[in-house]
Amino acid sequence: IEDFANCLYEFVEIERFHQASLNREDMIFWAETDDRKSITSLALLSQPLEVGKSLVELLFTKKKGILFISNSLTVQDSFQYVKTQLGLNEFPVIEKKFTTSVSEENRPNLYILEDMPEIKDTNEEEYTELVASSIISLAESIKGRVLILFTSHEMLKNTYFLIKESGALEDHLLLAQGISSGSVHRLSRQFNRFSKALLLGSYTFWEGADIDRELLSAVIMVRLPFTSPNNPIHRGKNRLIKNRNGNSFYEHSLPAAVIRFK
């Protein structure tokens, strides 16, 4: 009887979730599971596609003034994308831009590899092998702490195992988000402790992590940070923009990638 009661309870919860997801253009619902674990790891998730209305009700109208400050709030010298995302278009916003205080000699340099093929012109396995080979060469040259950012967890995982199996960087600590045990915070702490280390990370690290920048030798971006088209939230936002006859690439995909790159 107890098992039957639990089964009925689960059906009620599924029905509730189903009803909540009907006719909700402003919400995205999806399921996630870890293929390394049993089906019990399945999680049902939901998230609003636009947070502007909630921020207006819960924050903006309750404060006398709010200061948003960051080194990555503009796209093509405009604050419009961030204002739209935060629901600030109807509010009197004072916009200010300031020049950086970092001296010319202390600014980071940006290098682009010219011998990497277009990913659309090669299969992913071959491309991943080239990525792993390039990372090994760069790490051997840099001899320090290198943060490597991926937009695909599958490519991150495959690159990690290729580097590990090559045996070329045995004197480096090799860490990978989602593979090495521990939270993002723990991985960051381990990374900071070793003088020669590689940390392969995905979206969490694109958006900032507890890494000592003074100790960081280099950052490698494997691909430009466009969100995967299979990401449920990204797909939901693009669908919402298209339903309003907008251009999802220029209104969302491109500015989001620019902000993440900055």
Side-chain angles (χ1 to χ4, degrees):
I1 292 172
E2 187 178 341
D3 287 345
F4 182 64
N6 286 335
C7 190
L8 285 177
Y9 173 76
E10 288 176 3
F11 278 127
V12 169
E13 287 298 298
I14 290 169
E15 172 62 12
R16 243 183 233 155
F17 186 84
H18 179 66
Q19 290 297 332
S21 64
L22 289 174
N23 302 316
R24 290 296 303 274
E25 190 187 49
D26 61 332
M27 295 285 290
I28 185 77
F29 298 85
W30 75 98
E32 282 185 6
T33 187
D34 188 336
D35 57 10
R36 296 170 297 176
K37 298 178 183 176
S38 68
I39 193 65
T40 55
S41 70
L42 182 72
L44 298 175
L45 304 163
S46 67
Q47 183 169 315
L49 293 173
E50 295 180 313
V51 296
K53 288 180 182 177
S54 298
L55 288 174
V56 168
E57 293 170 10
L58 300 172
L59 185 63
F60 300 158
T61 54
K62 298 184 184 300
K63 301 294 178 184
K64 291 180 180 178
I66 299 172
L67 175 67
F68 295 93
I69 184 166
S70 172
N71 61 355
S72 51
L73 285 176
T74 60
V75 178
Q76 287 191 318
D77 288 328
S78 169
F79 290 93
Q80 189 55 51
Y81 173 72
V82 168
K83 284 164 61 178
T84 301
Q85 294 299 303
L86 296 174
L88 288 169
N89 285 328
E90 304 302 319
F91 285 81
V93 178
I94 299 170
E95 300 173 1
K96 294 283 185 184
K97 284 183 280 189
F98 303 93
T99 55
T100 179
S101 59
V102 179
S103 62
E104 195 69 42
E105 61 269 17
N106 289 328
R107 288 187 190 178
N109 295 314
L110 176 64
Y111 300 96
I112 301 172
L113 293 181
E114 295 185 333
D115 55 353
M116 289 295 288
E118 291 281 346
I119 193 166
K120 60 187 178 185
D121 298 333
T122 184
N123 63 62
E124 190 163 320
E125 185 179 346
E126 186 182 338
Y127 188 84
T128 304
E129 288 174 0
L130 288 167
V131 166
S133 175
S134 298
I135 289 170
I136 290 168
S137 298
L138 289 165
E140 287 175 334
S141 173
I142 292 166
K143 294 183 173 60
R145 296 177 187 84
V146 183
L147 175 63
I148 304 152
L149 300 173
F150 291 79
T151 57
S152 160
H153 188 75
E154 188 67 22
M155 188 180 288
L156 181 157
K157 181 175 72 174
N158 293 336
T159 303
Y160 169 83
F161 287 116
L162 284 171
I163 294 172
K164 193 168 187 179
E165 289 163 10
S166 74
L169 298 175
E170 289 185 344
D171 58 339
H172 285 68
L173 174 69
L174 187 59
L175 301 166
Q177 185 181 0
I179 300 172
S180 305
S181 60
S183 64
V184 168
H185 181 63
R186 185 179 173 187
L187 292 176
S188 300
R189 280 204 323 250
Q190 285 180 277
F191 180 71
N192 288 335
R193 279 203 301 264
F194 286 80
S195 60
K196 292 192 338 189
L198 298 182
L199 174 53
L200 285 66
S202 56
Y203 285 107
T204 311
F205 285 96
W206 278 103
E207 293 168 5
D210 189 20
I211 290 173
D212 190 334
R213 308 225 174 156
E214 295 297 317
L215 301 176
L216 192 61
S217 304
V219 177
I220 296 174
M221 288 179 273
V222 172
R223 296 184 65 189
L224 290 173
F226 284 97
T227 306
S228 166
N230 295 322
N231 179 286
I233 302 166
H234 181 75
R235 287 176 67 179
K237 286 190 174 186
N238 284 350
R239 186 184 67 238
L240 199 62
I241 293 168
K242 286 175 182 175
N243 289 344
R244 297 170 180 169
N245 298 317
N247 186 311
S248 60
F249 180 77
Y250 288 106
E251 290 180 34
H252 174 60
S253 300
L254 182 60
V258 170
I259 293 283
R260 195 174 287 125
F261 185 92
K262 285 188 173 185

